[in-house]
Amino acid sequence: MFRKNILSIILMLFLICDLAYSFRQHLSQPLDGDLPWNVVPADEVKPILADPLGLSVITRNAVYPNPNRYFCHITIKSWYEIVPVGLQRFISPVDSVYLASAIFKILIQALFIFLLAVAISGTFHVFNIDFLIAAILVTPFFQTEGYQSYMGIIDSAPTYVFFYAMPLALLMILMLPFHLKFYHRKPNPPLKWYLLLGIPLAVVVCFSGPLNPGVILVSSFVYFVGSWLENYRVQPRTNIFRRWANSIIRIPTVFWYCLLPVSLLSLYSLYLGSFNSNNISVPILSLYSKLPAGIANLFFTKLGYPVLFFILATNFLLVKRTHDTVQGRKIIQLFTGLGLFALIYILLLPMGGYRENRPNIIRYDTFMPVLIGMIFVAGLSTLFLFKALERKSLNWYIPLIAGVLVLFTLNDQPLFHKADSQKSALRQIAESPSDTIGLAPDCNLIYWGKLHKPEDSKLVSRMLTKWRITDHDKLFYNE
């Protein structure tokens, strides 16, 4: 018991130190060019904030940016209106914005680690050994630097955290009870709690981020097919139509009262997304032709994905040797489900349209749901093998896993000065007596690209005034 307590303390200290290190990295990240558009906000954002469910698309054939992402827009706007000003009681206005960004990023990162550890271990007790080992297994894959631009979850740009990582974390909360029921045999939440909490969360999830509706539909389809096939195998081989019907009837009721309504909401959200004015029209065959280059860029440029794939393949083969157990068979099902999900998800990605910042369709942000699934299955199967393998096998397996975790940890480099020039420019603007300030040619001040004319900075200027960095709007440009 004493040894277990000591091990728990050591593992918890490691997690705290890793999160503290990540927080320091997040604190040094520069602000991105989409923040002013969302925080001020720009005129194009106002229809989104005025119509949370995008009903004007149906009633008035309205076309505007992101009609199905209201909760992302309202969250980022509210966070940057409230938190930096609140922090200015203790720190300078310039530092308050970077601290606000770092706080949000580390909260989402900690939430991901917590949810993955719960899904892997089956317990919410943070001092439980299985929970802590699960958390240790997934933590190094959260790359702030290193492999971030290939397998990043917490993006360096704060805006992308609000539009990709946060919505997916909320989706994990929504889906967690289904996994706990399937793998850990936990009871379903009572219907009244689902109606009280699950349905509102489902609305938020379906109207947050560009990925959630598609992820929900693919996940629900995989769950439906998996349940149906499992039921079909055990039905008497009599009338084939009765066998089909009985297999559908025996699908767990949780699918019908939760996943099906959420899927219908997702279909509506995807329909709204088809009216997104940010969409660029490109022939669909041309989009599919770009997929191989996107996959190759992710998987063959850095070591991250090949190593993760190696661990998944190793775990799959080892679990196959011990899959006679109930848990082993369930893990094999999860491997199969992940593969089917990844295949369908990738094939559907071109349907989401084209963006100039994602020329090959697949990028680390659009691939994030598959990455999270890979990390989860790798962690779950590793914890299972820690318990299932014989000592002789553990003698080489534990060092292998430790080596992978060390590789990812060491690869996540510090780089604590990336935002220094941006902060200096903000202080220069705040302290300048002039209303038009020339900045260094290489300074990228919360804007995508260079500010060639002072009037280009109007939106950024209004945001700085809102943050109390300046007491009135000041224009600036790159000299």
Side-chain angles (χ1 to χ4, degrees), residues 73-127:
H73 284 279
I74 194 63
T75 303
I76 189 171
K77 182 176 182 294
S78 301
W79 182 269
Y80 280 103
E81 282 181 341
I82 297 169
V83 177
V85 174
L87 292 173
Q88 287 171 21
R89 300 176 184 177
F90 315 103
I91 55 177
S92 70
V94 170
D95 290 331
S96 71
V97 183
Y98 293 89
L99 181 57
S101 298
I103 290 172
F104 188 81
K105 287 182 179 182
I106 204 64
L107 287 175
I108 299 300
Q109 182 172 331
L111 178 59
F112 264 117
I113 293 170
F114 174 79
L115 293 172
L116 285 168
V118 170
I120 292 169
S121 66
T123 178
F124 288 87
H125 299 296
V126 295
F127 285 100

Side-chain angles (χ1 to χ4, degrees), residues 25 103 133 135 161 164 172 188 222-223 232 262 307 315 349 370 389 410-411 414 427 444 448 462 468 470:
Q25 288 177 301
I103 290 172
I133 292 175
V161 180
Y164 286 87
M172 285 183 66
N188 285 325
V222 170
Y223 180 85
Y232 188 80
V262 174
V307 171
N315 286 4
L349 267 180
V370 179
L389 290 177
L410 295 180
N411 187 69
R427 293 189 179 99
N444 193 337
W448 297 121
R462 289 170 61 192
R468 301 181 183 176
T470 56

Side-chain angles (χ1 to χ4, degrees), residues 256-301:
W256 303 109
Y257 76 72
C258 183
L259 287 183
L260 186 59
V262 174
S263 297
L264 294 175
L265 263 178
S266 297
L267 281 172
Y268 172 65
S269 179
L270 285 177
Y271 174 73
L272 291 181
S274 66
F275 292 88
N276 190 340
S277 62
N278 285 335
N279 288 343
I280 299 174
S281 180
V282 175
I284 191 67
L285 290 179
S286 173
L287 296 180
Y288 274 103
S289 69
K290 298 175 183 293
L291 285 180
I295 294 172
N297 183 56
L298 284 184
F299 286 82
F300 302 114
T301 307

Side-chain angles (χ1 to χ4, degrees), residues 147 149-151 290-306 357-365 367:
Y147 300 134
S149 58
Y150 296 90
M151 52 191 313
K290 298 175 183 293
L291 285 180
I295 294 172
N297 183 56
L298 284 184
F299 286 82
F300 302 114
T301 307
K302 295 277 187 178
L303 269 177
Y305 272 112
N357 62 331
R358 293 193 294 268
N360 294 319
I361 310 301
I362 290 181
R363 202 175 70 156
Y364 68 93
D365 45 9
F367 202 70

Side-chain angles (χ1 to χ4, degrees), residues 234-261:
V234 299
Q235 292 297 311
R237 296 176 179 272
T238 54
N239 185 298
I240 188 169
F241 296 106
R242 183 176 297 174
R243 194 177 178 191
W244 274 62
N246 288 337
S247 300
I248 293 175
I249 291 170
R250 291 176 180 271
I251 290 174
T253 54
V254 70
F255 173 84
W256 303 109
Y257 76 72
C258 183
L259 287 183
L260 186 59

